[in-house]
Amino acid sequence: MNDDNSRQYYDDEIDLRQLFKSLKERSRFIFTFTGVVTLLAIGYVLSLTAPPTQYKVEATFLKPSESSVIRLNQYSLLNETANTAESVFSKFLTTLNSPVLQRDLFDDDGYLKRLQKEGESIVDVDKYITEFTKSLSITKNKETAGVVLPHILSTESSNPDVVSEFLDAILTKADKETINYFINTQKLKITNRLKEITTERQLLLTKSKQDRQSQIKRIKEADNQKLIEINNKIDAARLIAKTERMNEIVTLKDAAALAASLNIIESNLNQLNKGTNNMNSNIAIQSGTNLPDWYLFGETALLKMIDSLESRASDDPYIPELAILDNQLKEINNNTLLQTLEQRLDDSPFIAEISLLDIETIKLESIRPDSTDISAMQLYQAATSEIIPTKSKNRLIIALAFIGSFMLSILLVFLMNAFKEEDVTSIQKGK
């Protein structure tokens, strides 16, 4: 067994010696192959065009100043939540991130042509612009130890001047659109409130007119009722007066007939206060007693009185309360309150709420939202650029070519030796 191990060790030693011997014999091939491949790699590297220098372009900005927020809030309506620096800045960042805003600026100011290299042809413009806008990034910094760090808008490009201008322009545009958003929102709220006030005012006027018309109707109904009552009183007074007149006519006719039967033709008014008795009539007239009409007036006067009462056209002049009732009728027919209500053309002076709405309208119309001296951010530093250091891969390519070709040459030597031994073995067997 020891003899077998010794033989195996001897054979391995012979094989290693043979291996190194073969490598030595083929050293010229190894170095030649390695050198040629390495030279080819060096030639390839030298033929490569140097890539354009890349720049990192970035602009820094902060939240809006307190003065801008205060000026923006001076246009706030009553009972409206005031804007804060955080809310304004949040809206600014949202606007800044808008692909539509970025694309519009890119198209309107011709940045595609300015970024396009001389002789370069862009097949898919939309894809180029989309990739460019997607390369924009915003670094949102927070406060560190009480120090507010600025936000950073950055991208990479081989054309730093144009891209720097683009970053400054997009910050300006986003700032302007953000402020315009708040200003236009205020204008819209003012417009809507003015429309609401107009509607409320119209409703108040309509209600007031309806109330006034209802009041007019109530007054007319009350006046009509009063007129009916007064007319009833007038009719009753006239009826009473007529009845009294007819009764008096009957009374006077009876007295005239009695005077005629007693042959008292003329009046005996001269007999008053004489205290004597008229012996021609068989009636004793005592001093101080009421004399009957037939005796006092006589037939002739009584007949004239009857004729006068019968020919009377109206009893109105003989009804004392009729004048009072007529005056009441005139007051009702000339109701000044009713006339005033019917002739009123504008109810607004009599509505307290309309005065308040008019005051609010004047205040709202006096507001003129303006974006002057208002900003949604503070530009901390305009866009600047710096070269992005790049590591050259030329040495790595050459080193890999050298190592790879060297190892490949050794592998080829092993393969050539293996084929050579097989050929020798075959020849020996053939003998």
Side-chain angles (χ1 to χ4, degrees):
M1 185 173 180
N2 292 332
D3 293 339
D4 293 338
N5 290 335
S6 299
R7 190 179 297 109
Q8 182 178 359
Y9 175 78
Y10 181 74
D11 292 338
D12 291 341
E13 186 178 357
I14 293 175
D15 290 338
L16 291 173
R17 287 180 180 179
Q18 188 66 29
L19 177 62
F20 285 112
K21 183 179 180 182
S22 63
L23 290 175
K24 184 177 180 181
E25 292 175 354
R26 302 283 185 176
S27 60
R28 181 176 296 178
F29 170 79
I30 293 172
F31 290 122
T32 301
F33 182 83
T34 303
V36 170
V37 173
T38 304
L39 290 175
L40 289 175
I42 293 173
Y44 170 76
V45 168
L46 294 176
S47 67
L48 292 176
T49 303
T53 304
Q54 287 293 108
Y55 296 85
K56 182 178 182 180
V57 186
E58 61 181 23
T60 52
F61 52 93
L62 296 166
K63 294 180 181 179
S65 63
E66 289 298 326
S67 60
S68 291
V69 176
I70 292 173
R71 283 185 55 82
L72 187 61
N73 284 330
Q74 72 178 346
Y75 302 124
S76 298
L77 298 176
L78 297 176
N79 300 325
E80 181 187 15
T81 303
N83 298 305
T84 62
E86 288 73 16
S87 62
V88 175
F89 194 59
S90 176
K91 178 61 181 177
F92 168 76
L93 293 177
T94 302
T95 306
L96 183 62
N97 272 321
S98 171
V100 176
L101 175 75
Q102 298 170 359
R103 178 63 185 264
D104 289 345
L105 180 63
F106 201 92
D107 292 338
D108 295 343
D109 292 358
Y111 282 100
L112 177 63
K113 185 176 181 180
R114 297 170 64 184
L115 287 173
Q116 188 175 355
K117 299 177 182 177
E118 185 176 354
E120 181 183 8
S121 177
I122 301 176
V123 179
D124 192 343
V125 175
D126 289 336
K127 182 179 179 181
Y128 178 85
I129 296 176
T130 301
E131 290 179 352
F132 175 79
T133 54
K134 283 185 176 180
S135 67
L136 299 175
S137 63
I138 300 176
T139 304
K140 300 179 180 180
N141 295 324
K142 298 181 179 180
E143 293 187 8
T144 302
V147 178
V148 180
L149 299 177
H151 286 55
I152 301 173
L153 174 64
S154 62
T155 186
E156 295 181 0
S157 175
S158 58
N159 196 335
D161 295 334
V162 177
V163 174
S164 296
E165 184 180 339
F166 178 82
L167 294 187
D168 291 337
I170 198 172
L171 286 173
T172 302
K173 186 176 180 65
D175 176 59
K176 182 178 179 181
E177 290 204 2
T178 302
I179 295 303
N180 287 339
Y181 165 80
F182 286 102
I183 295 297
N184 291 333
T185 299
Q186 289 294 335
K187 290 181 179 179
L188 180 60
K189 289 180 178 180
I190 291 174
T191 302
N192 291 338
R193 179 54 187 159
L194 288 174
K195 290 180 179 179
E196 291 176 358
I197 290 175
T198 302
T199 302
E200 292 177 13
R201 197 176 191 278
Q202 189 60 42
L203 290 174
L204 288 171
L205 288 173
T206 302
K207 183 179 182 301
S208 178
K209 183 178 180 180
Q210 292 176 346
D211 293 342
R212 178 167 55 85
Q213 290 175 344
S214 298
Q215 185 180 3
I216 291 173
K217 188 175 181 180
R218 289 193 301 270
I219 292 174
K220 285 183 176 181
E221 289 181 354
D223 286 351
N224 289 334
Q225 183 64 32
K226 291 178 181 178
L227 289 174
I228 292 173
E229 293 176 357
I230 293 173
N231 285 325
N232 289 337
K233 290 180 180 180
I234 291 174
D235 292 340
R238 284 173 176 171
L239 180 59
I240 293 172
K242 182 179 180 181
T243 302
E244 290 177 350
R245 179 168 58 85
M246 297 306 295
N247 292 336
E248 187 176 358
I249 290 173
V250 172
T251 302
L252 291 176
K253 283 183 177 181
D254 291 341
L258 181 58
S261 64
L262 296 176
N263 197 24
I264 301 177
I265 305 303
E266 301 300 331
S267 66
N268 293 302
L269 294 174
N270 57 352
Q271 299 296 324
L272 291 176
N273 300 322
K274 287 186 177 181
T276 61
N277 295 329
N278 188 349
M279 304 302 296
N280 294 325
S281 63
N282 297 316
I283 300 174
I285 303 300
Q286 297 181 357
S287 178
T289 61
N290 291 326
L291 298 177
D293 292 338
W294 55 267
Y295 174 79
L296 182 63
F297 296 103
E299 180 184 10
T300 302
L302 290 173
L303 290 175
K304 289 181 178 180
M305 292 173 64
I306 292 170
D307 183 61
S308 176
L309 290 173
E310 288 179 340
S311 62
R312 183 184 295 174
S314 174
D315 295 317
D316 289 357
Y318 304 94
I319 305 174
E321 65 269 21
L322 197 61
I324 298 174
L325 294 174
D326 286 339
N327 186 49
Q328 292 178 356
L329 285 177
K330 290 179 181 179
E331 289 180 356
I332 294 174
N333 290 327
N334 297 319
N335 192 327
T336 56
L337 176 59
L338 181 62
Q339 292 176 359
T340 302
L341 293 175
E342 289 179 333
Q343 295 173 1
R344 182 184 297 171
L345 300 178
D346 185 13
D347 292 317
S348 58
F350 305 93
I351 306 174
E353 293 84 351
I354 284 186
S355 299
L356 298 177
L357 292 177
D358 290 343
I359 293 173
E360 185 178 356
T361 299
I362 295 173
K363 288 181 178 179
L364 291 176
E365 290 178 345
S366 66
I367 297 176
R368 296 289 185 271
D370 184 13
S371 59
T372 305
D373 298 330
I374 301 178
S375 178
M377 62 91 187
Q378 298 180 80
L379 186 62
Y380 185 77
Q381 184 177 13
T384 57
S385 60
E386 61 179 8
I387 298 176
I388 301 176
T390 56
K391 295 181 180 179
S392 177
K393 297 181 179 180
N394 296 343
R395 294 182 180 180
L396 179 61
I397 293 173
I398 295 173
L400 291 175
F402 175 78
I403 296 173
S405 60
F406 181 74
M407 295 180 66
L408 181 60
S409 63
I410 293 176
L411 180 60
L412 291 174
V413 169
F414 289 158
L415 291 174
M416 287 188 291
N417 290 337
F419 286 119
K420 181 177 179 182
E421 290 178 359
E422 289 181 359
D423 292 339
V424 171
T425 305
S426 298
I427 293 173
Q428 289 177 354
K429 289 181 178 181
K431 291 182 178 181

